[in-house]
């Protein structure tokens, strides 16, 4: 297993639409294992393949405190969403340190496949429903900050770009053997 590099907003690769998985093989199992390790290491409760620059419809989620209930959702699709909505403060491994309220359906029914290609359905509410919808947005090339006002979104983009420049500067200084 390996820790994968998580793309950071506003990286344009986060806006690529993921393609359905057509082959359920060892490569897919390794991708899911690597994504799980990456998600737990980050730490997070969900990760879409799009966030690690693999544009296939693969999501891993584990909302438990113990981190022992990993579920892989391959080619997930929402079959039903409730009319009632709720606002959750969402965060994202691709938008580190940023949290804001996003309104989504409070309950959903999802159909997906496991890593062996077996179909399954899940009725979800609460954090699980939010997490599934959030990760599925990534597969469509959408990041949660796009639900926010243009002003908030632009502030977040500027903040993350400034942080990125700072990290690049530190890496360059380190490469030169200088302290920062």
């Amino acid at each position: 297993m390996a820790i994968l590099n998580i793309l950071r907003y506003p990286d344009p690769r986060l806006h690529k639409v993921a393609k359905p998985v057509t082959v359920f093989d060892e490569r897919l199992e390794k991708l899911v294992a690597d994504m799980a390790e990456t998600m737990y290491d980050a730490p997070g409760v969900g990760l879409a393949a799009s966030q690690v620059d693999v544009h296939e419809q693969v999501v891993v989620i584990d909302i438990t405190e113990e981190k022992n209930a990993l579920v892989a959702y391959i080619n997930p699709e929402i079959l039903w969403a409730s009319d009632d909505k709720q606002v959750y403060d969402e965060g994202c491994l691709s938008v580190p340190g940023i949290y804001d309220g996003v309104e989504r359906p409070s309950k959903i029914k999802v159909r997906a496949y496991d890593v062996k290609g077996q179909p399954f359905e899940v009725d979800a509410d609460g954090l699980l429903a939010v997490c599934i919808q959030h990760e599925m947005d990534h597969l469509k090339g959408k990041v949660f900050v796009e639900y926010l006002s243009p002003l908030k979104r632009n502030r977040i983009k500027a903040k993350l770009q400034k942080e990125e420049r700072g990290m690049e500067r530190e890496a360059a200084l380190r490469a030169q053997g200088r302290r920062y």
Side-chain angles (χ1 to χ4, degrees):
M1 291 191 298
I3 303 290
L4 305 171
N5 182 47
I6 298 173
L7 300 176
R8 287 174 54 115
Y9 180 81
D11 191 309
R13 294 173 290 179
L14 288 168
H15 299 293
K16 288 176 97 172
V17 176
K19 296 188 179 344
V21 171
T22 57
V23 177
F24 293 79
D25 60 3
E26 291 164 5
R27 184 201 63 84
L28 179 63
E29 289 179 21
K30 181 176 179 351
L31 173 63
V32 166
D34 290 347
M35 286 175 59
E37 186 174 0
T38 302
M39 176 189 72
Y40 289 134
D41 181 69
V45 295
L47 185 67
S50 299
Q51 292 176 270
V52 295
D53 204 18
V54 176
H55 303 282
E56 298 177 35
Q57 293 180 9
V58 179
V59 166
V60 294
I61 294 175
D62 185 349
I63 61 169
T64 65
E65 290 290 323
E66 302 79 23
K67 304 299 177 204
N68 63 359
L70 181 77
V71 178
Y73 297 81
I74 316 295
N75 301 337
E77 83 178 282
I78 295 176
L79 301 175
W80 172 85
S82 65
D83 290 332
D84 58 306
K85 312 260 192 242
Q86 68 186 102
V87 176
Y88 258 81
D89 259 359
E90 294 186 25
C92 181
L93 297 177
S94 292
V95 191
I98 306 294
Y99 299 87
D100 212 319
V102 176
E103 184 179 67
R104 298 185 184 273
S106 60
K107 296 178 183 175
I108 59 172
K109 182 180 193 93
V110 178
R111 178 175 36 228
Y113 296 86
D114 65 17
V115 294
K116 300 291 186 190
Q118 296 302 308
F120 66 95
E121 292 183 2
V122 172
D123 291 313
D125 60 5
L127 178 59
L128 182 58
V130 170
C131 195
I132 291 170
Q133 292 173 83
H134 175 109
E135 300 307 334
M136 286 182 68
D137 275 352
H138 280 297
L139 301 179
K140 298 172 194 162
K142 189 168 185 174
V143 180
F144 91 96
V145 297
E146 294 169 41
Y147 287 99
L148 308 178
S149 72
L151 176 64
K152 279 186 179 182
R153 193 169 48 248
N154 288 334
R155 285 183 177 165
I156 290 166
K157 184 186 281 186
K159 178 180 190 251
L160 293 176
Q161 286 173 328
K162 182 179 177 183
E163 287 175 7
E164 187 74 25
R165 285 190 302 273
M167 289 188 302
E168 288 169 359
R169 183 175 166 269
E170 287 175 17
L173 290 173
R174 244 185 267 118
Q176 295 171 7
R178 294 168 52 191
R179 295 179 95 48
Y180 51 92

